[in-house]
Amino acid sequence: MSKYLCICCLPLLLVGSAFANSTGTLYEFDSAGLASRTYPFVAQRSLTVEPVYAATDVGDLVGQFDARDSQLQIAYDTAAAGVPTGLDLGDYQIHSLVITWTVGQVANPLRYDPTYDSTDTYDLTGRSAITPDTDAGRPFSLFGAGFRNGYTGFTTDLSDPPGPPLFSPRFEGYGPSGNFFETRHVFAIDFDEAGVPRDVSNNVDDANAGANAFEVTPFAIGMTNEIAPGELIPTDEFLQASLDMTFTVDVSDPHIHGYVARGLADGTLGFVLATLHPAVAFTSPGGAGGVYPSMFMRNTADGIAAAMVLDLTVVDSDCADANGDQVVDVADFIAVLLNFGQSNPAQGDANGDGTVTVADFIAVLLNFGQSC
């Protein structure tokens, strides 16, 4: 049993280094085809810049709407860019995916933080931070997109009428009337250890003072070389900024890789930016107000609206049956392992590209359990 566990874990250990050295076809997008904000009090909106922030530790308002309160949605028409649709997930070998997005405005001094912060570092209603935050600021966190209320995906087509099943750049609103809490049509997701998507909008669990909080796995955290960690994001006297951040999506994670592959197969790939930057002061004397960082939603001379570069190889993997027994299971991992590094082998080439590499482990992993 331990042997099989080691074999199954091997692709997860090797994937990152293999992708880092791989180059396929580059698909470049100058900006997102859909870029909007959803927030209870404005529904869906897309000004030149839109804020992303959280509402925690706000007393009587706790539990009335998501803690990750103002969320930004972006989506790309990958089919129109020439990415083939409808293929098996294992046919999409995603080497890298990088989004460049400009911070365009900050309401109050905000320090750059390129690291994930544990839920224990947040002051919540009825509970102070359990662990001090050792680095200043809060990260810009990019997640996948989940859907409810009849919506099942994104469209970037302005001619599509508003309403389910596709969330469009037109006015789709926020959610059903009534209580704001957990009603948004599109919400930020990550994946638990079993690969099940989950809503991360309230992972700090402010309503219960963090008693049911859970740690999340962002798809990417915004980073920049323009300033050092802990430094203030520079602004002019009118609070305008122009700081480019890059979000390098962790496609070495098999769940995130699968999410991106599903989006490519559908022809539209989307993400959600949902941070925990405070909208109001966290239990500080005098209540100085929140930071409200805003991102460019359309390209201007001062900023980039979520440009994306996708490095992709598309292969014909059939169903990733590496050993020819018509089912994708642990035996296929073994076939890949025993033939690793060979060219045109009798077994082990799960993705059909002529060589046995880490990409074949990924193809087996993404198609695991399928019958051919």
Side-chain angles (χ1 to χ4, degrees), residues 144-160:
F147 300 89
R148 61 165 70 92
N149 304 329
Y151 288 89
T152 59
F154 288 111
T155 176
T156 63
D157 190 346
L158 283 169
S159 67
D160 285 352

Side-chain angles (χ1 to χ4, degrees), residues 142-208:
L142 188 74
F143 296 94
F147 300 89
R148 61 165 70 92
N149 304 329
Y151 288 89
T152 59
F154 288 111
T155 176
T156 63
D157 190 346
L158 283 169
S159 67
D160 285 352
L166 298 180
F167 190 89
S168 77
R170 297 170 63 92
F171 187 79
E172 301 291 343
Y174 177 85
S177 60
N179 193 322
F180 290 139
F181 189 62
E182 292 188 338
T183 62
R184 64 177 75 240
H185 301 312
V186 184
F187 52 92
I189 63 164
D190 75 347
F191 294 93
D192 65 16
E193 293 181 357
V196 177
R198 58 185 179 179
D199 188 349
V200 301
S201 300
N202 297 290
N203 76 290
V204 292
D205 188 37
D206 194 22
N208 298 297

